Amino acid sequence: GEEIIGVPGIGFVEGMCCGCAYIGQKIGCYEDLGMQEGVHYIGYDGSLEDLKAKISYYQQPEHQDELERIANAGYEFANTHFRGEAVAKELLQKLVKIQKRRSENK
């Protein structure tokens, strides 16, 4: 789940990389990472009632294909975007952009 400050705990990446369908609060931080609710993860509103409803929904045999699609898409997303090389590359690109902006403002 999410940390008390509202950001996802690192465990969400580990679960997705193991092929689990991740259930996370619809708080925007997952979209900020490029993930889409209903595609890469299962979103819920943060209440215990909605969490239980989502779990119950995806436990039903008729929703297993949908659950598997979400788990597979989450796995692919996590393996593409959260691997060490991908994270390092993105960080370096952002640092280069910051450096260029600072050089242009001098």
Side-chain angles (χ1 to χ4, degrees):
E2 294 73 28
E3 301 288 337
I4 192 130
I5 59 172
V7 297
I10 192 65
F12 89 95
V13 174
E14 294 170 344
M16 290 171 68
C17 285
C18 290
C20 297
Y22 180 71
I23 302 174
Q25 289 186 38
K26 297 184 278 188
I27 55 178
C29 60
Y30 302 107
E31 283 74 14
D32 291 344
L33 296 170
M35 296 169 57
Q36 297 175 3
E37 178 192 355
V39 175
H40 303 110
Y41 77 102
I42 299 164
Y44 77 106
D45 69 9
S47 70
L48 183 57
E49 294 78 25
D50 193 38
L51 177 60
K52 288 173 16 180
K54 295 294 166 94
I55 291 169
S56 178
Y57 175 87
Y58 286 106
Q59 286 179 328
Q60 302 303 312
E62 62 269 21
H63 300 292
Q64 293 303 296
D65 288 341
E66 181 183 1
L67 179 63
E68 190 171 326
R69 279 192 303 275
I70 293 170
N72 289 335
Y75 171 82
E76 292 297 327
F77 187 90
N79 273 306
T80 300
H81 295 89
F82 300 136
R83 284 194 166 287
E85 290 177 6
V87 171
K89 182 178 178 181
E90 184 175 343
L91 174 62
L92 288 174
Q93 288 173 346
K94 287 181 180 184
L95 291 173
V96 167
K97 285 181 185 178
I98 291 169
Q99 184 181 20
K100 283 182 181 179
R101 277 195 304 242
R102 287 185 178 176
S103 295
E104 291 170 358
N105 291 331
K106 286 185 178 182

